[in-house]
Short mmCIF file of all heavy atoms in Angstrom, two decimals:
data_model
loop_
_atom_site.label_atom_id
_atom_site.label_comp_id
_atom_site.label_asym_id
_atom_site.label_seq_id
_atom_site.Cartn_x
_atom_site.Cartn_y
_atom_site.Cartn_z
N MET A 1 6.72 61.28 -3.20
CA MET A 1 7.50 60.21 -2.63
C MET A 1 8.97 60.45 -3.01
O MET A 1 9.28 60.75 -4.14
CB MET A 1 7.01 58.88 -3.22
CG MET A 1 7.83 57.71 -2.81
SD MET A 1 7.37 56.11 -3.55
CE MET A 1 5.67 56.26 -3.93
N SER A 2 9.85 60.27 -2.05
CA SER A 2 11.27 60.47 -2.33
C SER A 2 11.94 59.13 -2.61
O SER A 2 11.51 58.09 -2.14
CB SER A 2 11.94 61.18 -1.15
OG SER A 2 11.92 60.36 0.00
N LEU A 3 13.01 59.20 -3.40
CA LEU A 3 13.78 58.02 -3.76
C LEU A 3 15.23 58.22 -3.35
O LEU A 3 15.79 59.31 -3.52
CB LEU A 3 13.73 57.79 -5.27
CG LEU A 3 12.38 57.41 -5.87
CD1 LEU A 3 12.49 57.38 -7.40
CD2 LEU A 3 11.94 56.05 -5.35
N THR A 4 15.82 57.15 -2.85
CA THR A 4 17.24 57.14 -2.51
C THR A 4 17.89 56.03 -3.30
O THR A 4 17.38 54.92 -3.36
CB THR A 4 17.44 56.89 -1.00
OG1 THR A 4 16.79 57.92 -0.26
CG2 THR A 4 18.92 56.84 -0.64
N LEU A 5 19.02 56.34 -3.92
CA LEU A 5 19.79 55.34 -4.65
C LEU A 5 21.08 55.10 -3.90
O LEU A 5 21.91 56.01 -3.77
CB LEU A 5 20.08 55.81 -6.08
CG LEU A 5 20.88 54.82 -6.94
CD1 LEU A 5 20.08 53.53 -7.18
CD2 LEU A 5 21.28 55.46 -8.25
N TYR A 6 21.26 53.90 -3.40
CA TYR A 6 22.51 53.53 -2.74
C TYR A 6 23.51 53.11 -3.82
O TYR A 6 23.21 52.28 -4.67
CB TYR A 6 22.27 52.40 -1.73
CG TYR A 6 21.46 52.88 -0.57
CD1 TYR A 6 20.09 52.65 -0.49
CD2 TYR A 6 22.05 53.62 0.46
CE1 TYR A 6 19.33 53.12 0.57
CE2 TYR A 6 21.29 54.09 1.54
CZ TYR A 6 19.94 53.84 1.58
OH TYR A 6 19.19 54.32 2.62
N THR A 7 24.68 53.71 -3.76
CA THR A 7 25.65 53.60 -4.83
C THR A 7 27.06 53.69 -4.26
O THR A 7 27.24 53.88 -3.06
CB THR A 7 25.40 54.73 -5.86
OG1 THR A 7 26.28 54.59 -6.95
CG2 THR A 7 25.54 56.10 -5.25
N SER A 8 28.06 53.54 -5.13
CA SER A 8 29.44 53.79 -4.74
C SER A 8 30.24 54.21 -5.97
O SER A 8 29.84 53.89 -7.11
CB SER A 8 30.08 52.56 -4.08
OG SER A 8 30.28 51.55 -5.02
N PRO A 9 31.35 54.90 -5.77
CA PRO A 9 32.16 55.35 -6.90
C PRO A 9 32.67 54.18 -7.73
O PRO A 9 33.04 53.13 -7.20
CB PRO A 9 33.33 56.08 -6.24
CG PRO A 9 32.86 56.42 -4.87
CD PRO A 9 31.90 55.34 -4.48
N GLY A 10 32.65 54.34 -9.04
CA GLY A 10 33.18 53.34 -9.94
C GLY A 10 32.23 52.16 -10.21
O GLY A 10 32.62 51.22 -10.89
N CYS A 11 31.02 52.24 -9.69
CA CYS A 11 30.05 51.16 -9.89
C CYS A 11 29.30 51.41 -11.20
O CYS A 11 28.46 52.30 -11.29
CB CYS A 11 29.08 51.13 -8.71
SG CYS A 11 27.67 50.03 -8.93
N HIS A 12 29.62 50.62 -12.23
CA HIS A 12 29.00 50.85 -13.54
C HIS A 12 27.51 50.52 -13.51
O HIS A 12 26.72 51.14 -14.23
CB HIS A 12 29.72 50.06 -14.64
CG HIS A 12 29.51 48.59 -14.60
ND1 HIS A 12 30.17 47.77 -13.72
CD2 HIS A 12 28.69 47.80 -15.32
CE1 HIS A 12 29.78 46.54 -13.90
NE2 HIS A 12 28.88 46.51 -14.87
N LEU A 13 27.08 49.58 -12.68
CA LEU A 13 25.65 49.29 -12.57
C LEU A 13 24.93 50.47 -11.93
O LEU A 13 23.79 50.79 -12.30
CB LEU A 13 25.43 48.02 -11.75
CG LEU A 13 26.02 46.74 -12.34
CD1 LEU A 13 25.82 45.58 -11.38
CD2 LEU A 13 25.43 46.44 -13.70
N CYS A 14 25.58 51.10 -10.97
CA CYS A 14 24.99 52.29 -10.33
C CYS A 14 24.83 53.42 -11.33
O CYS A 14 23.83 54.14 -11.32
CB CYS A 14 25.86 52.73 -9.15
SG CYS A 14 26.06 51.48 -7.87
N GLU A 15 25.82 53.56 -12.21
CA GLU A 15 25.73 54.59 -13.25
C GLU A 15 24.55 54.30 -14.17
O GLU A 15 23.83 55.23 -14.57
CB GLU A 15 27.03 54.64 -14.04
CG GLU A 15 28.20 55.18 -13.24
CD GLU A 15 29.54 55.02 -13.93
OE1 GLU A 15 29.56 54.55 -15.10
OE2 GLU A 15 30.56 55.37 -13.32
N GLN A 16 24.34 53.03 -14.50
CA GLN A 16 23.19 52.66 -15.33
C GLN A 16 21.87 52.99 -14.62
O GLN A 16 20.94 53.50 -15.24
CB GLN A 16 23.22 51.18 -15.67
CG GLN A 16 24.32 50.80 -16.64
CD GLN A 16 24.34 49.30 -16.92
OE1 GLN A 16 23.36 48.60 -16.70
NE2 GLN A 16 25.47 48.81 -17.39
N ALA A 17 21.82 52.71 -13.33
CA ALA A 17 20.61 53.01 -12.55
C ALA A 17 20.35 54.51 -12.53
O ALA A 17 19.20 54.95 -12.71
CB ALA A 17 20.75 52.47 -11.13
N GLU A 18 21.39 55.30 -12.34
CA GLU A 18 21.24 56.77 -12.35
C GLU A 18 20.73 57.25 -13.70
O GLU A 18 19.87 58.13 -13.76
CB GLU A 18 22.57 57.44 -12.01
CG GLU A 18 22.95 57.31 -10.56
CD GLU A 18 24.22 58.06 -10.21
OE1 GLU A 18 24.50 59.11 -10.85
OE2 GLU A 18 24.92 57.61 -9.29
N GLU A 19 21.26 56.69 -14.78
CA GLU A 19 20.83 57.07 -16.13
C GLU A 19 19.34 56.76 -16.33
O GLU A 19 18.62 57.55 -16.93
CB GLU A 19 21.67 56.37 -17.18
CG GLU A 19 23.09 56.88 -17.25
CD GLU A 19 23.99 56.05 -18.15
OE1 GLU A 19 23.49 55.10 -18.81
OE2 GLU A 19 25.19 56.35 -18.21
N MET A 20 18.90 55.62 -15.83
CA MET A 20 17.48 55.26 -15.95
C MET A 20 16.60 56.23 -15.18
O MET A 20 15.55 56.66 -15.68
CB MET A 20 17.24 53.82 -15.46
CG MET A 20 17.73 52.77 -16.41
SD MET A 20 17.24 51.12 -15.91
CE MET A 20 18.62 50.66 -14.89
N LEU A 21 17.01 56.57 -13.97
CA LEU A 21 16.23 57.51 -13.16
C LEU A 21 16.18 58.88 -13.84
O LEU A 21 15.12 59.52 -13.87
CB LEU A 21 16.82 57.63 -11.75
CG LEU A 21 16.62 56.38 -10.88
CD1 LEU A 21 17.57 56.40 -9.70
CD2 LEU A 21 15.17 56.28 -10.42
N ASP A 22 17.31 59.31 -14.38
CA ASP A 22 17.35 60.59 -15.10
C ASP A 22 16.44 60.52 -16.34
O ASP A 22 15.70 61.46 -16.62
CB ASP A 22 18.77 60.94 -15.53
CG ASP A 22 19.65 61.37 -14.37
OD1 ASP A 22 19.10 61.78 -13.32
OD2 ASP A 22 20.88 61.28 -14.51
N TYR A 23 16.49 59.44 -17.08
CA TYR A 23 15.66 59.25 -18.26
C TYR A 23 14.18 59.35 -17.92
O TYR A 23 13.39 59.96 -18.67
CB TYR A 23 15.97 57.91 -18.90
CG TYR A 23 15.04 57.54 -20.04
CD1 TYR A 23 15.22 58.10 -21.30
CD2 TYR A 23 13.99 56.66 -19.85
CE1 TYR A 23 14.37 57.79 -22.35
CE2 TYR A 23 13.13 56.33 -20.89
CZ TYR A 23 13.32 56.90 -22.13
OH TYR A 23 12.46 56.58 -23.15
N LEU A 24 13.80 58.78 -16.78
CA LEU A 24 12.40 58.83 -16.33
C LEU A 24 12.03 60.17 -15.69
O LEU A 24 10.86 60.41 -15.40
CB LEU A 24 12.13 57.68 -15.34
CG LEU A 24 12.21 56.28 -15.92
CD1 LEU A 24 12.17 55.23 -14.81
CD2 LEU A 24 11.07 56.05 -16.92
N GLY A 25 13.01 61.02 -15.47
CA GLY A 25 12.75 62.33 -14.88
C GLY A 25 12.42 62.26 -13.39
O GLY A 25 11.73 63.13 -12.88
N LEU A 26 12.94 61.24 -12.73
CA LEU A 26 12.65 61.07 -11.30
C LEU A 26 13.79 61.64 -10.46
O LEU A 26 14.97 61.32 -10.69
CB LEU A 26 12.46 59.59 -10.96
CG LEU A 26 11.29 58.90 -11.64
CD1 LEU A 26 11.29 57.41 -11.31
CD2 LEU A 26 9.98 59.53 -11.20
N ALA A 27 13.43 62.47 -9.51
CA ALA A 27 14.42 63.02 -8.59
C ALA A 27 14.81 61.94 -7.58
O ALA A 27 13.96 61.15 -7.15
CB ALA A 27 13.85 64.22 -7.86
N PHE A 28 16.09 61.92 -7.24
CA PHE A 28 16.56 60.94 -6.27
C PHE A 28 17.76 61.49 -5.52
O PHE A 28 18.44 62.39 -6.00
CB PHE A 28 16.93 59.61 -6.95
CG PHE A 28 18.07 59.72 -7.93
CD1 PHE A 28 19.37 59.43 -7.55
CD2 PHE A 28 17.84 60.12 -9.24
CE1 PHE A 28 20.41 59.53 -8.44
CE2 PHE A 28 18.88 60.22 -10.15
CZ PHE A 28 20.18 59.93 -9.76
N ASN A 29 17.98 60.94 -4.36
CA ASN A 29 19.14 61.29 -3.55
C ASN A 29 20.12 60.13 -3.65
O ASN A 29 19.79 59.01 -3.26
CB ASN A 29 18.70 61.51 -2.10
CG ASN A 29 19.86 61.82 -1.20
OD1 ASN A 29 20.77 62.54 -1.58
ND2 ASN A 29 19.83 61.28 0.00
N ALA A 30 21.30 60.37 -4.19
CA ALA A 30 22.32 59.34 -4.29
C ALA A 30 23.11 59.30 -2.99
O ALA A 30 23.61 60.31 -2.52
CB ALA A 30 23.25 59.61 -5.46
N VAL A 31 23.23 58.11 -2.41
CA VAL A 31 23.98 57.93 -1.17
C VAL A 31 25.17 57.03 -1.45
O VAL A 31 25.01 55.89 -1.87
CB VAL A 31 23.08 57.31 -0.07
CG1 VAL A 31 23.90 56.99 1.17
CG2 VAL A 31 21.93 58.24 0.27
N ASP A 32 26.36 57.58 -1.22
CA ASP A 32 27.61 56.85 -1.41
C ASP A 32 27.83 55.97 -0.18
O ASP A 32 28.13 56.47 0.90
CB ASP A 32 28.74 57.84 -1.59
CG ASP A 32 30.10 57.19 -1.73
OD1 ASP A 32 30.20 55.96 -1.66
OD2 ASP A 32 31.07 57.95 -1.91
N ILE A 33 27.69 54.66 -0.37
CA ILE A 33 27.82 53.75 0.77
C ILE A 33 29.26 53.61 1.25
O ILE A 33 29.50 53.19 2.37
CB ILE A 33 27.24 52.35 0.47
CG1 ILE A 33 28.07 51.62 -0.58
CG2 ILE A 33 25.78 52.45 0.07
CD1 ILE A 33 27.79 50.14 -0.67
N SER A 34 30.23 53.98 0.41
CA SER A 34 31.63 53.80 0.76
C SER A 34 32.08 54.67 1.92
O SER A 34 33.16 54.47 2.46
CB SER A 34 32.53 54.04 -0.46
OG SER A 34 32.54 55.40 -0.83
N ARG A 35 31.26 55.60 2.34
CA ARG A 35 31.61 56.50 3.43
C ARG A 35 31.03 56.07 4.78
O ARG A 35 31.19 56.76 5.77
CB ARG A 35 31.12 57.91 3.12
CG ARG A 35 31.72 58.46 1.87
CD ARG A 35 31.08 59.75 1.47
NE ARG A 35 31.56 60.16 0.17
CZ ARG A 35 32.11 61.33 -0.07
NH1 ARG A 35 32.24 62.21 0.88
NH2 ARG A 35 32.52 61.62 -1.29
N ASP A 36 30.34 54.92 4.79
CA ASP A 36 29.65 54.48 6.01
C ASP A 36 29.76 52.96 6.15
O ASP A 36 29.24 52.22 5.33
CB ASP A 36 28.17 54.91 5.92
CG ASP A 36 27.38 54.63 7.16
OD1 ASP A 36 27.46 53.50 7.71
OD2 ASP A 36 26.64 55.53 7.59
N VAL A 37 30.44 52.52 7.19
CA VAL A 37 30.67 51.09 7.40
C VAL A 37 29.37 50.32 7.50
O VAL A 37 29.24 49.21 6.96
CB VAL A 37 31.54 50.86 8.66
CG1 VAL A 37 31.67 49.39 8.99
CG2 VAL A 37 32.90 51.49 8.49
N ASP A 38 28.37 50.87 8.17
CA ASP A 38 27.08 50.18 8.30
C ASP A 38 26.41 50.00 6.95
O ASP A 38 25.86 48.93 6.66
CB ASP A 38 26.16 50.92 9.27
CG ASP A 38 26.64 50.85 10.71
OD1 ASP A 38 27.27 49.84 11.07
OD2 ASP A 38 26.39 51.81 11.45
N LEU A 39 26.46 51.03 6.11
CA LEU A 39 25.87 50.92 4.78
C LEU A 39 26.62 49.92 3.91
O LEU A 39 26.01 49.20 3.11
CB LEU A 39 25.81 52.29 4.10
CG LEU A 39 24.82 53.30 4.69
CD1 LEU A 39 24.92 54.62 3.95
CD2 LEU A 39 23.41 52.76 4.67
N ILE A 40 27.94 49.86 4.08
CA ILE A 40 28.72 48.87 3.33
C ILE A 40 28.28 47.47 3.72
O ILE A 40 28.11 46.60 2.86
CB ILE A 40 30.24 49.05 3.58
CG1 ILE A 40 30.72 50.36 2.94
CG2 ILE A 40 31.01 47.86 3.02
CD1 ILE A 40 32.13 50.73 3.30
N ARG A 41 28.05 47.24 5.01
CA ARG A 41 27.60 45.92 5.47
C ARG A 41 26.23 45.57 4.88
O ARG A 41 25.98 44.42 4.52
CB ARG A 41 27.51 45.90 6.99
CG ARG A 41 28.84 45.83 7.67
CD ARG A 41 28.70 45.65 9.17
NE ARG A 41 29.98 45.92 9.79
CZ ARG A 41 30.16 46.77 10.79
NH1 ARG A 41 29.16 47.42 11.31
NH2 ARG A 41 31.36 46.95 11.28
N ILE A 42 25.35 46.55 4.81
CA ILE A 42 23.98 46.30 4.33
C ILE A 42 23.93 46.17 2.81
O ILE A 42 23.27 45.27 2.27
CB ILE A 42 23.04 47.43 4.81
CG1 ILE A 42 22.95 47.43 6.33
CG2 ILE A 42 21.66 47.28 4.18
CD1 ILE A 42 22.29 48.69 6.89
N TYR A 43 24.60 47.10 2.11
CA TYR A 43 24.42 47.20 0.66
C TYR A 43 25.66 46.85 -0.17
O TYR A 43 25.60 46.86 -1.40
CB TYR A 43 23.99 48.62 0.29
CG TYR A 43 22.67 49.01 0.87
CD1 TYR A 43 22.58 49.96 1.90
CD2 TYR A 43 21.51 48.44 0.42
CE1 TYR A 43 21.36 50.31 2.44
CE2 TYR A 43 20.27 48.78 0.95
CZ TYR A 43 20.22 49.71 1.96
OH TYR A 43 19.00 50.05 2.49
N GLY A 44 26.76 46.51 0.47
CA GLY A 44 28.04 46.33 -0.22
C GLY A 44 28.00 45.44 -1.45
O GLY A 44 28.60 45.78 -2.47
N VAL A 45 27.31 44.32 -1.39
CA VAL A 45 27.26 43.42 -2.55
C VAL A 45 25.94 43.52 -3.30
O VAL A 45 25.73 42.79 -4.26
CB VAL A 45 27.50 41.95 -2.12
CG1 VAL A 45 28.89 41.78 -1.55
CG2 VAL A 45 26.45 41.47 -1.14
N ARG A 46 25.07 44.44 -2.87
CA ARG A 46 23.72 44.53 -3.47
C ARG A 46 23.53 45.76 -4.35
O ARG A 46 22.50 45.86 -5.02
CB ARG A 46 22.67 44.57 -2.35
CG ARG A 46 22.65 43.33 -1.50
CD ARG A 46 21.66 43.44 -0.36
NE ARG A 46 20.38 43.95 -0.79
CZ ARG A 46 19.59 44.72 -0.04
NH1 ARG A 46 19.94 45.04 1.19
NH2 ARG A 46 18.44 45.13 -0.50
N ILE A 47 24.43 46.73 -4.30
CA ILE A 47 24.20 47.98 -5.02
C ILE A 47 24.19 47.75 -6.52
O ILE A 47 24.86 46.83 -6.99
CB ILE A 47 25.21 49.08 -4.64
CG1 ILE A 47 26.64 48.61 -4.93
CG2 ILE A 47 25.01 49.54 -3.24
CD1 ILE A 47 27.66 49.69 -4.81
N PRO A 48 23.43 48.55 -7.25
CA PRO A 48 22.59 49.64 -6.79
C PRO A 48 21.28 49.15 -6.18
O PRO A 48 20.71 48.15 -6.63
CB PRO A 48 22.33 50.45 -8.05
CG PRO A 48 22.40 49.43 -9.15
CD PRO A 48 23.42 48.43 -8.72
N VAL A 49 20.84 49.87 -5.17
CA VAL A 49 19.54 49.60 -4.52
C VAL A 49 18.78 50.91 -4.48
O VAL A 49 19.31 51.93 -4.05
CB VAL A 49 19.71 49.02 -3.10
CG1 VAL A 49 18.37 48.90 -2.41
CG2 VAL A 49 20.42 47.68 -3.15
N LEU A 50 17.53 50.87 -4.93
CA LEU A 50 16.66 52.02 -4.91
C LEU A 50 15.69 51.85 -3.74
O LEU A 50 15.11 50.79 -3.56
CB LEU A 50 15.89 52.11 -6.23
CG LEU A 50 15.12 53.37 -6.54
CD1 LEU A 50 16.02 54.59 -6.54
CD2 LEU A 50 14.41 53.23 -7.88
N GLN A 51 15.57 52.89 -2.93
CA GLN A 51 14.69 52.84 -1.76
C GLN A 51 13.69 53.99 -1.81
O GLN A 51 14.05 55.11 -2.10
CB GLN A 51 15.53 52.95 -0.48
CG GLN A 51 14.72 52.76 0.79
CD GLN A 51 15.60 52.89 2.02
OE1 GLN A 51 15.99 54.00 2.37
NE2 GLN A 51 15.93 51.78 2.65
N ARG A 52 12.42 53.65 -1.53
CA ARG A 52 11.37 54.66 -1.43
C ARG A 52 11.34 55.22 -0.02
O ARG A 52 11.93 54.66 0.91
CB ARG A 52 10.00 54.05 -1.73
CG ARG A 52 9.78 53.62 -3.13
CD ARG A 52 8.34 53.23 -3.39
NE ARG A 52 7.79 52.32 -2.39
CZ ARG A 52 7.07 51.25 -2.67
NH1 ARG A 52 6.80 50.93 -3.93
NH2 ARG A 52 6.61 50.47 -1.72
N SER A 53 10.58 56.31 0.15
CA SER A 53 10.47 56.94 1.47
C SER A 53 9.80 56.03 2.49
O SER A 53 9.98 56.20 3.69
CB SER A 53 9.74 58.28 1.37
OG SER A 53 8.50 58.11 0.71
N ASP A 54 9.03 55.02 2.03
CA ASP A 54 8.40 54.08 2.97
C ASP A 54 9.34 52.91 3.30
O ASP A 54 8.94 51.94 3.93
CB ASP A 54 7.08 53.54 2.41
CG ASP A 54 7.23 52.70 1.16
OD1 ASP A 54 8.37 52.52 0.67
OD2 ASP A 54 6.21 52.21 0.65
N LYS A 55 10.62 53.02 2.86
CA LYS A 55 11.69 52.05 3.12
C LYS A 55 11.61 50.78 2.27
O LYS A 55 12.43 49.88 2.44
CB LYS A 55 11.80 51.67 4.60
CG LYS A 55 12.00 52.85 5.52
CD LYS A 55 13.26 53.60 5.17
CE LYS A 55 13.47 54.77 6.14
NZ LYS A 55 14.40 55.74 5.67
N ALA A 56 10.64 50.68 1.35
CA ALA A 56 10.62 49.56 0.42
C ALA A 56 11.83 49.70 -0.51
O ALA A 56 12.25 50.80 -0.84
CB ALA A 56 9.33 49.56 -0.39
N GLU A 57 12.40 48.55 -0.90
CA GLU A 57 13.59 48.57 -1.72
C GLU A 57 13.42 47.79 -3.01
O GLU A 57 12.73 46.78 -3.05
CB GLU A 57 14.78 47.98 -0.94
CG GLU A 57 15.19 48.83 0.24
CD GLU A 57 16.39 48.27 0.98
OE1 GLU A 57 16.77 47.10 0.75
OE2 GLU A 57 16.95 49.03 1.78
N LEU A 58 14.09 48.29 -4.05
CA LEU A 58 14.17 47.62 -5.34
C LEU A 58 15.65 47.35 -5.60
O LEU A 58 16.44 48.30 -5.73
CB LEU A 58 13.58 48.52 -6.44
CG LEU A 58 13.62 47.98 -7.86
CD1 LEU A 58 12.79 46.70 -7.98
CD2 LEU A 58 13.12 49.03 -8.84
N GLY A 59 16.02 46.10 -5.60
CA GLY A 59 17.42 45.74 -5.81
C GLY A 59 17.71 45.41 -7.25
O GLY A 59 16.83 45.02 -8.00
N TRP A 60 18.97 45.56 -7.60
CA TRP A 60 19.43 45.24 -8.93
C TRP A 60 19.32 43.75 -9.16
O TRP A 60 19.56 42.99 -8.21
CB TRP A 60 20.89 45.69 -9.09
CG TRP A 60 21.36 45.62 -10.50
CD1 TRP A 60 22.07 44.62 -11.07
CD2 TRP A 60 21.14 46.60 -11.51
NE1 TRP A 60 22.31 44.91 -12.39
CE2 TRP A 60 21.74 46.13 -12.68
CE3 TRP A 60 20.48 47.83 -11.56
CZ2 TRP A 60 21.72 46.83 -13.86
CZ3 TRP A 60 20.46 48.53 -12.75
CH2 TRP A 60 21.07 48.02 -13.88
N PRO A 61 18.93 43.27 -10.32
CA PRO A 61 18.75 44.01 -11.57
C PRO A 61 17.34 44.58 -11.69
O PRO A 61 16.37 43.97 -11.24
CB PRO A 61 18.98 42.96 -12.64
CG PRO A 61 18.57 41.67 -12.00
CD PRO A 61 18.89 41.81 -10.54
N PHE A 62 17.25 45.78 -12.27
CA PHE A 62 15.97 46.39 -12.59
C PHE A 62 16.11 47.22 -13.85
O PHE A 62 17.21 47.57 -14.24
CB PHE A 62 15.42 47.22 -11.43
CG PHE A 62 16.36 48.24 -10.84
CD1 PHE A 62 16.58 49.46 -11.46
CD2 PHE A 62 17.03 47.98 -9.65
CE1 PHE A 62 17.43 50.41 -10.90
CE2 PHE A 62 17.88 48.92 -9.08
CZ PHE A 62 18.08 50.15 -9.71
N ASP A 63 14.96 47.49 -14.47
CA ASP A 63 14.94 48.32 -15.68
C ASP A 63 13.96 49.47 -15.46
O ASP A 63 13.40 49.61 -14.38
CB ASP A 63 14.62 47.50 -16.93
CG ASP A 63 13.26 46.80 -16.86
OD1 ASP A 63 12.39 47.23 -16.07
OD2 ASP A 63 13.06 45.83 -17.61
N THR A 64 13.76 50.27 -16.50
CA THR A 64 12.90 51.44 -16.34
C THR A 64 11.46 51.06 -16.00
O THR A 64 10.81 51.74 -15.22
CB THR A 64 12.92 52.33 -17.60
OG1 THR A 64 12.59 51.55 -18.74
CG2 THR A 64 14.28 52.99 -17.79
N LEU A 65 10.96 49.97 -16.56
CA LEU A 65 9.61 49.52 -16.24
C LEU A 65 9.50 49.12 -14.76
O LEU A 65 8.52 49.46 -14.10
CB LEU A 65 9.20 48.36 -17.15
CG LEU A 65 7.77 47.86 -17.00
CD1 LEU A 65 6.76 48.99 -17.22
CD2 LEU A 65 7.51 46.71 -17.96
N ASP A 66 10.51 48.43 -14.26
CA ASP A 66 10.53 48.06 -12.84
C ASP A 66 10.52 49.32 -11.96
O ASP A 66 9.81 49.37 -10.95
CB ASP A 66 11.76 47.23 -12.51
CG ASP A 66 11.78 45.89 -13.19
OD1 ASP A 66 10.69 45.26 -13.33
OD2 ASP A 66 12.88 45.44 -13.59
N ILE A 67 11.28 50.32 -12.35
CA ILE A 67 11.35 51.56 -11.58
C ILE A 67 9.98 52.24 -11.58
O ILE A 67 9.51 52.70 -10.55
CB ILE A 67 12.44 52.51 -12.12
CG1 ILE A 67 13.83 51.90 -11.92
CG2 ILE A 67 12.35 53.87 -11.43
CD1 ILE A 67 14.94 52.65 -12.62
N GLU A 68 9.36 52.31 -12.75
CA GLU A 68 8.03 52.96 -12.83
C GLU A 68 7.03 52.24 -11.94
O GLU A 68 6.24 52.89 -11.24
CB GLU A 68 7.54 52.97 -14.28
CG GLU A 68 8.28 53.96 -15.16
CD GLU A 68 7.83 53.91 -16.60
OE1 GLU A 68 7.61 52.81 -17.14
OE2 GLU A 68 7.71 55.01 -17.19
N ARG A 69 7.02 50.94 -11.96
CA ARG A 69 6.11 50.18 -11.11
C ARG A 69 6.42 50.41 -9.63
O ARG A 69 5.53 50.53 -8.81
CB ARG A 69 6.21 48.69 -11.41
CG ARG A 69 5.61 48.29 -12.72
CD ARG A 69 5.79 46.81 -12.97
NE ARG A 69 5.28 46.45 -14.28
CZ ARG A 69 5.73 45.44 -14.99
NH1 ARG A 69 6.71 44.68 -14.53
NH2 ARG A 69 5.22 45.17 -16.17
N PHE A 70 7.69 50.43 -9.30
CA PHE A 70 8.14 50.64 -7.92
C PHE A 70 7.73 52.03 -7.43
O PHE A 70 7.34 52.20 -6.28
CB PHE A 70 9.66 50.46 -7.86
CG PHE A 70 10.25 50.60 -6.49
CD1 PHE A 70 10.02 49.67 -5.50
CD2 PHE A 70 11.10 51.68 -6.20
CE1 PHE A 70 10.59 49.80 -4.24
CE2 PHE A 70 11.66 51.81 -4.95
CZ PHE A 70 11.41 50.87 -3.97
N TYR A 71 7.82 53.01 -8.31
CA TYR A 71 7.53 54.40 -7.93
C TYR A 71 6.04 54.70 -7.88
O TYR A 71 5.60 55.59 -7.16
CB TYR A 71 8.22 55.36 -8.92
CG TYR A 71 8.14 56.80 -8.51
CD1 TYR A 71 8.90 57.27 -7.46
CD2 TYR A 71 7.31 57.68 -9.18
CE1 TYR A 71 8.84 58.60 -7.06
CE2 TYR A 71 7.23 59.01 -8.80
CZ TYR A 71 8.00 59.46 -7.75
OH TYR A 71 7.91 60.78 -7.37
N ALA A 72 5.23 53.94 -8.61
CA ALA A 72 3.79 54.21 -8.71
C ALA A 72 3.07 54.03 -7.37
O ALA A 72 3.45 53.31 -6.52
CB ALA A 72 3.17 53.29 -9.74
#
């Protein structure tokens, strides 16, 4: 299963989310929403948002346990 993390530059919460994913050893694709107007409209006030390949989403706030449950 693939994971996508919606993020933007300078987002300290996004950095925390990336650190958690790295800690868990989970591969993910980081998508910078600041380069796409549609993504800004969808995720602008919600980032970081983690999305699975089935399009299910886990929105902030979350911790490593939430990520593990989401990924399972």
